[in-house]
Amino acid sequence: MTLWSTRIALIIALLALVACGTPTANPSATGSFGPVANQPHSHAPAQTGGTPHDHGQIGSTTPDHAAATATTSELQVVLATSEVVVGPNRLALGLLQDNVPISDAPQTTVTARYYRLSADQAALVGEEAARYYGEGLGPRGTFVIHPTFDAPGQWGLEVEATRPGQAPVTRRLRINVVEHGNAPKVGDAAPRSDTPTAAQVSDLRQISSDAHPDPRLYQMSVAQAVSSGKPSLILFATPGYCQTAVCGPGVEVVKRLVDRFGDRVNAVHVEVYRLPYDGTMVPAMREWGLLTEPWLFLVDGQGKIAARYEGGITLEELQPAVEQVIGGQAGS
């Protein structure tokens, strides 16, 4: 199956209506969690050619994509994260109705519960309140949770959503947890990719599809940034060719973080595609094992992944994480 075909299959799977149930501490049938929301991914590196791919983020829900699913007025929950790994995770959840994002998401409260699934039962492992992030993303905002999974395999995710003036609604889905995903995970050493810098080109538009590229994001290569001894923000995004419409907002968030933290943190934007655009991914995408876009990695001063963010990002979510890494660096 081609990478493009895989993306289409993932989109359709993400938009499928998950089974409805009521919260229980020990569901008796694992089948109540419905189909797997994220399909297992191969460990092959990203392909280097083809059509710009769609990452399956909730923001990619367009009329064309919605037409591939059964129309329903019931609340839908989609997992807008392509890989879930053993260890800490950042998962983004989208809430849809009639196959479009709900308009009252900022006023909706969401609780997530995690279940370890076995042959005939599901054991409750943890619970947390999700936080909604949507600044600058329009209808593409998501509810973010941070589960830690201690073993690979299929897990159950129960999502309880309470919209203003409405009774709580519960949806369940299965998620596939893998030992190692394609992308570097938290604690891994950041790959030392030799990406192009401003010093190597006469015009930044040769290495960035941003309509207004900020020179501060192209002063260092990835290898230089993650080897510098300072925390780094490494953003893989393609503002000019993004299929999810969240790459451009992500670049703007990184610019604002540079405004806030200055030279206390390195910031590098890596354009996903070779320019002039011909559908070929840059080598760094393969070196980082990235099959989707956008991705942002927060790297600590020791060159290890401190956090990773797939899809849409906001200043509200990122600024505390950067402050924590900078503070930890100062105290080390």
Side-chain angles (χ1 to χ4, degrees):
M1 180 180 289
T2 66
L3 184 61
W4 176 245
S5 299
T6 301
R7 293 295 156 258
I8 295 297
L10 178 60
I11 294 163
I12 294 173
L14 290 179
L15 293 177
L17 181 63
V18 296
C20 179
T22 56
T24 60
N26 186 27
S28 59
T30 59
S32 66
F33 283 97
V36 179
N38 60 317
Q39 297 302 314
H41 291 270
S42 70
H43 291 254
Q47 295 182 14
T48 57
T51 307
H53 52 276
D54 196 321
H55 135 296
Q57 178 77 5
I58 184 66
S60 67
T61 305
T62 65
D64 287 343
H65 295 150
T69 68
T71 301
T72 176
S73 61
E74 295 185 21
L75 187 70
Q76 300 162 271
V77 178
V78 294
L79 177 63
T81 302
S82 68
E83 65 175 41
V84 186
V85 297
V86 171
N89 290 268
R90 171 196 180 264
L91 304 187
L93 303 172
L95 299 185
L96 311 180
Q97 190 165 18
D98 293 326
N99 292 320
V100 296
I102 61 173
S103 60
D104 55 0
Q107 294 78 43
T108 297
T109 59
V110 170
T111 299
R113 302 180 184 93
Y114 318 113
Y115 294 84
R116 182 179 288 108
L117 302 183
S118 60
D120 58 355
Q121 66 177 358
L124 179 64
V125 173
E127 176 179 319
E128 70 170 297
R131 184 164 179 177
Y132 180 76
Y133 293 103
E135 180 191 11
L137 297 175
R140 299 168 179 85
T142 53
F143 293 86
V144 173
I145 53 178
H146 296 90
T148 296
F149 298 105
D150 60 7
Q154 290 189 15
W155 287 67
L157 175 62
E158 184 176 73
V159 179
E160 181 181 296
T162 305
R163 302 173 69 180
Q166 299 185 32
V169 174
T170 301
R171 299 287 183 261
R172 291 178 181 158
L173 58 158
R174 294 181 184 224
I175 53 179
N176 187 67
V177 178
V178 297
E179 187 72 38
H180 299 286
N182 294 296
K185 66 180 184 178
V186 173
D188 287 351
R192 269 59 171 171
S193 295
D194 185 20
T195 54
T197 66
Q200 298 170 321
V201 295
S202 58
D203 186 337
L204 288 177
R205 286 173 293 185
Q206 295 175 257
I207 58 174
S208 174
S209 65
D210 188 358
H212 304 285
D214 188 329
R216 298 176 299 176
L217 307 189
Y218 310 95
Q219 295 303 304
M220 290 184 174
S221 67
V222 169
Q224 291 169 332
V226 302
S227 303
S228 68
K230 292 197 301 186
S232 300
L233 290 162
I234 310 298
L235 174 65
F236 293 84
T238 179
Y241 304 98
C242 193
Q243 298 299 298
T244 61
V246 295
C247 291
V251 173
E252 294 305 312
V253 168
V254 173
K255 292 176 184 178
R256 293 173 66 188
L257 289 169
V258 175
D259 291 339
R260 171 68 176 81
F261 296 105
D263 61 5
R264 289 182 291 169
V265 61
N266 304 316
V268 178
H269 168 223
V270 181
E271 172 63 40
V272 170
Y273 296 106
R274 186 175 64 186
L275 301 176
Y277 174 77
D278 63 359
T280 302
M281 291 184 188
V282 298
M285 286 288 288
R286 180 180 65 254
E287 293 162 6
W288 284 66
L290 303 183
L291 304 178
T292 62
E293 39 77 9
W295 278 86
L296 178 112
F297 295 88
L298 177 56
V299 181
D300 66 19
Q302 287 70 51
K304 294 185 177 181
I305 307 295
R308 63 182 204 165
Y309 306 82
E310 183 182 7
I313 56 173
T314 64
L315 185 69
E316 180 184 14
E317 183 179 10
L318 264 294
Q319 183 168 312
V322 177
E323 288 175 344
Q324 183 175 9
V325 171
I326 290 176
Q329 180 68 11
S332 62

